[in-house]
Amino acid sequence: MTTKDTIKIFVNLDMEWWMRHDELMITKNNDEIHLRTIIREDTTLLEPLEYGWRINNLGTITIRNENNEFEKHFALKSERIKAEFSKSLIYEIITSNDTLKYHTKSLGDKGREVNAYLKFMNSYYPNEKDFRPFEESQLNE
């Protein structure tokens, strides 16, 4: 990233009946990296039944990106761009000159990837309940 670059990441966390879409906007300004996060979750099946979308705008935070760990999280998943990963979209990363689409290959794979994303984002938003990872027992159900 160079100064004033902006990257948008759309995260599709949909699994079975659960629908959630996160939007991350990463902007570099001088030597600082700013992360803006918006969470949209279908509340139809949550108690109490609300029939709609809950929007949680977490605003903008300045993140430490020591050793480029933010970029590495996605770079390490670059195999998900390949054809054998074509079951379900997990990430869509949009830059000024390119779009990358990352997929999963099964429901179990999607569950593990969603959990990895929640753990990753929990490191940036440790007090945000929307980023609490699933328990291992929940993933095996």
Side-chain angles (χ1 to χ4, degrees), residues 9 12 23 51 69-70 83 94 101 111 114 116-117 125 134 141:
I9 302 173
N12 180 347
E23 180 181 331
Y51 301 107
E69 71 268 2
F70 200 91
I94 302 171
K101 293 184 179 187
V114 166
Y117 166 77
Y125 295 98
F134 300 122
E141 290 179 352

Side-chain angles (χ1 to χ4, degrees), residues 6-141:
T6 298
I7 297 172
K8 288 186 179 183
I9 302 173
F10 295 101
V11 185
N12 180 347
L13 303 173
D14 296 355
M15 289 186 356
E16 296 288 318
W17 299 103
W18 181 50
M19 292 175 56
R20 177 172 150 183
H21 307 141
D22 292 4
E23 180 181 331
L24 313 177
M25 188 177 311
I26 300 100
T27 306
K28 185 171 185 179
N29 193 359
N30 298 322
D31 290 333
E32 292 184 338
I33 296 179
H34 302 280
L35 172 63
R36 180 173 173 236
T37 303
I38 300 171
I39 298 167
R40 292 177 180 86
E41 182 176 27
D42 181 12
T43 60
T44 303
L45 298 176
L46 299 178
E47 293 292 332
L49 296 177
E50 297 177 21
Y51 301 107
W53 286 86
R54 174 183 68 88
I55 299 174
N56 186 2
N57 186 343
L58 300 178
T60 303
I61 62 170
T62 301
I63 64 171
R64 292 184 183 166
N65 196 31
E66 299 165 359
N67 301 321
N68 296 318
E69 71 268 2
F70 200 91
E71 292 92 338
K72 286 180 183 176
H73 175 79
F74 298 99
L76 292 171
K77 298 173 183 307
S78 62
E79 77 277 357
R80 295 191 173 281
I81 298 170
K82 297 177 184 172
E84 66 257 22
F85 289 92
S86 61
K87 183 75 173 165
S88 177
L89 181 68
I90 183 79
Y91 302 118
E92 184 173 13
I93 301 175
I94 302 171
T95 66
S96 60
N97 58 2
D98 201 7
T99 298
L100 299 173
K101 293 184 179 187
Y102 292 60
H103 294 84
T104 58
K105 57 184 174 182
S106 67
L107 186 58
D109 183 42
K110 177 90 179 228
R112 286 185 292 280
E113 193 59 33
V114 166
N115 208 40
Y117 166 77
L118 295 175
K119 286 179 182 177
F120 172 70
M121 291 301 289
N122 190 49
S123 67
Y124 295 104
Y125 295 98
N127 298 320
E128 182 58 51
K129 65 178 180 149
D130 283 322
F131 294 119
R132 296 228 170 87
F134 300 122
E135 298 293 326
E136 197 63 36
S137 62
Q138 290 174 294
L139 293 175
N140 294 324
E141 290 179 352

